[in-house]
Amino acid sequence: MAAKQCPRRQENGTMETRFITMKVRLYPTEAQAQLFENTFGCCRYIWNRMLADQQRFYIETNTHFIPTPAKYKREAPFLKEVDNQALIQEHGKLAQAFRVFFKSPESFGYPKFKRKKTDKDSFTACNHVFESGPTIYTTRDGIRMTKAGIVKARFSRRPGNGWKLKRITVEKSRTGKYYGCILYEDRVKAPAPVVPTPDTTVGLKYSLAHFYVADSGGMADAPHWLKRSQERLAKIQRQLNRMEPGSKNYQEAVRKYRQLHEHIANQRRDFIHKESSRIANGWDAVCIRAEALAELSRGLKYGNILESGYGMFRECLRYKLAWQGKELILVDRYQPTTRTCSVCGLVRDGVPARTKTWTCPKCGTTHRKEVNAAKNIKAQGLARYFNNQKLRESA
């Protein structure tokens, strides 16, 4: 699986800490898989018990308090059979969920109880280094974990020299596959900031039909993976409607349905990573509009904005550019980039949504609507970047 690098925390002028996540496929034995399943269940149990007790304690005392997992081990001895680190991490996740809720209730909802049928199965364990050695480490063809022993794994790449293993998150997909997300910490030399120029900067306009349109006229034209598989999905759904729920044939059809959706998601993810890497490596800066995709999706009658994965593409661009000291410049989403002439700057009253081209009444230039918007995004992004640079220098 591809490695993902998280945003970096600058510590000084030359060195910084970088966090890298590698996702690998796990092949546990029957006993190890059963241990994983028990750990998933214990994590759900401890989360729900801590949340219920927190709510009861708040009602009785009007004070926020979350009990620790150790409080429940006497009444639930099965909690001792799994890795204690997984239970401790659940306590930390619940505490973090409350912290972000109290900080911004309008953005983060109140923590909810977990359900086996709807919530994803996963647990996290931190690595601790003792005199006898670390609790989690990788081998030639596996990962050593507490209580599970060495779990067979398939690596697409190996950690770099000096990478420190911090923790691992084991998760189970809907199709029954196990994955391990290994977090590493690395100290690297901070990249020198790259100053963009008009020739080395690209402006991208989100497009429902073409994924994005560049200011040069280039388009991604990403395949509509879900639409292409819609016929196969509909066929499986018709079969499911004629089957008895819970039967072997029903379970097999559900497995095929989930596998197809997983395949669609993998196709989308592969395209996004390849396209974002190509752009990040080829340009010194990227200018895009800060589109509110969820809001756009609600106002769209035909088409599926969220299915394209443009939000994930934008996030991949951000951290891949940051690796190289480059900028992802966001332009205010309320700027009339589509209605503004990129040649003379005239802002029209309105351009019909289905119109692909329009002519400026002032300078007479005929524009392709999306290409013109991308040019305006690039111009406004560069202007914003240099204005911010002047403000930093004056400060």
Side-chain angles (χ1 to χ4, degrees), residues 95-115:
Q96 175 65 12
F98 273 109
R99 278 195 295 270
V100 297
F101 168 72
F102 292 142
K103 184 178 180 180
S104 180
E106 65 279 359
S107 301
F108 300 93
Y110 188 85
K112 298 180 180 179
F113 291 97
K114 290 186 177 182
R115 299 179 59 189

Side-chain angles (χ1 to χ4, degrees), residues 172-184:
K172 182 182 179 183
S173 69
R174 284 292 192 177
T175 57
K177 299 174 184 176
Y178 293 93
Y179 294 94
C181 299
I182 312 172
L183 178 69
Y184 288 95

Side-chain angles (χ1 to χ4, degrees), residues 19-217:
F19 293 97
I20 308 102
T21 302
M22 290 177 53
K23 189 173 182 180
V24 301
R25 176 78 183 275
L26 301 178
Y27 297 91
T29 62
E30 187 175 341
Q32 290 170 338
Q34 185 58 50
L35 177 62
F36 288 168
E37 295 296 329
N38 293 343
T39 308
F40 296 148
C42 288
C43 288
R44 276 194 306 272
Y45 173 85
I46 205 72
W47 172 284
N48 291 338
R49 285 299 306 273
M50 290 188 300
L51 180 57
D53 287 348
Q54 185 276 337
Q55 293 177 349
R56 179 179 58 81
F57 192 81
Y58 185 81
I59 293 173
E60 294 176 356
T61 65
N62 200 30
T63 304
H64 171 70
F65 173 74
I66 304 176
T68 60
K71 176 181 180 295
Y72 305 97
K73 289 187 177 181
R74 180 174 295 180
E75 61 182 87
F78 55 84
L79 295 176
K80 301 178 183 179
E81 300 174 1
V82 302
D83 186 3
N84 186 51
Q85 279 295 314
L87 306 181
I88 294 174
Q89 290 299 312
E90 289 300 307
H91 182 270
K93 292 176 184 176
L94 183 58
Q96 175 65 12
F98 273 109
R99 278 195 295 270
V100 297
F101 168 72
F102 292 142
K103 184 178 180 180
S104 180
E106 65 279 359
S107 301
F108 300 93
Y110 188 85
K112 298 180 180 179
F113 291 97
K114 290 186 177 182
R115 299 179 59 189
K116 184 176 181 179
K117 291 185 178 180
T118 56
D119 288 280
K120 192 172 185 179
D121 288 329
S122 69
F123 69 86
T124 301
C126 289
N127 181 31
H128 295 280
V129 181
F130 300 103
E131 292 183 1
S132 57
T135 57
I136 304 173
Y137 58 85
T138 59
T139 63
R140 186 176 63 86
D141 58 353
I143 303 173
R144 193 272 179 189
M145 300 173 58
T146 305
K147 296 207 173 184
I150 297 179
V151 182
K152 186 178 179 182
R154 185 176 65 192
F155 298 87
S156 60
R157 61 175 292 189
R158 288 289 174 174
N161 186 29
W163 291 13
K164 296 180 181 180
L165 197 156
K166 303 299 290 182
R167 65 172 181 257
I168 182 172
T169 299
V170 177
E171 58 185 34
K172 182 182 179 183
S173 69
R174 284 292 192 177
T175 57
K177 299 174 184 176
Y178 293 93
Y179 294 94
C181 299
I182 312 172
L183 178 69
Y184 288 95
E185 178 186 301
D186 186 28
R187 291 270 295 167
V188 296
K189 187 175 181 180
V194 179
V195 179
T197 64
D199 293 335
T200 59
T201 302
V202 63
L204 302 181
K205 166 71 169 67
Y206 170 72
S207 172
L208 184 62
H210 306 289
F211 193 68
Y212 71 73
V213 176
D215 61 281
S216 62

Side-chain angles (χ1 to χ4, degrees), residues 253-385:
V254 169
R255 185 184 65 83
K256 290 181 180 180
Y257 184 81
R258 290 175 175 173
Q259 281 184 333
L260 184 54
H261 268 293
E262 185 179 57
H263 178 65
I264 295 169
N266 289 338
Q267 287 178 310
R268 182 189 303 114
R269 191 178 300 109
D270 179 70
F271 168 82
I272 288 172
H273 276 291
K274 289 179 178 177
E275 190 66 19
S276 59
S277 296
R278 185 186 68 81
I279 294 175
N281 294 334
W283 299 93
D284 288 348
V286 180
C287 303
I288 60 175
R289 278 206 345 173
E291 303 281 7
L293 299 178
E295 185 177 325
L296 287 176
S297 180
R298 287 193 294 268
L300 189 67
K301 190 175 182 180
Y302 301 103
N304 188 349
I305 290 178
L306 302 182
E307 186 267 333
S308 67
Y310 188 77
M312 179 183 177
F313 170 74
R314 192 166 57 189
E315 175 62 19
C316 288
L317 266 181
R318 184 191 61 78
Y319 73 77
K320 290 180 181 180
L321 286 165
W323 296 349
Q324 306 174 53
K326 301 176 180 179
E327 291 275 348
L328 177 66
I329 306 170
L330 297 179
V331 176
D332 185 5
R333 64 191 179 102
Y334 294 110
Q335 290 289 337
T337 54
T338 303
R339 299 185 290 111
T340 302
C341 175
S342 58
V343 176
C344 66
L346 175 72
V347 180
R348 288 191 55 180
D349 292 337
V351 179
R354 296 193 177 186
T355 301
K356 294 183 178 181
T357 62
W358 62 276
T359 301
C360 176
K362 182 178 180 180
C363 64
T365 306
T366 299
H367 298 287
R368 290 168 57 189
K369 186 171 68 173
E370 292 182 324
V371 175
N372 175 70
K375 291 179 180 179
N376 289 323
I377 291 172
K378 175 181 174 179
Q380 294 174 14
L382 285 174
R384 180 176 182 179
Y385 171 83

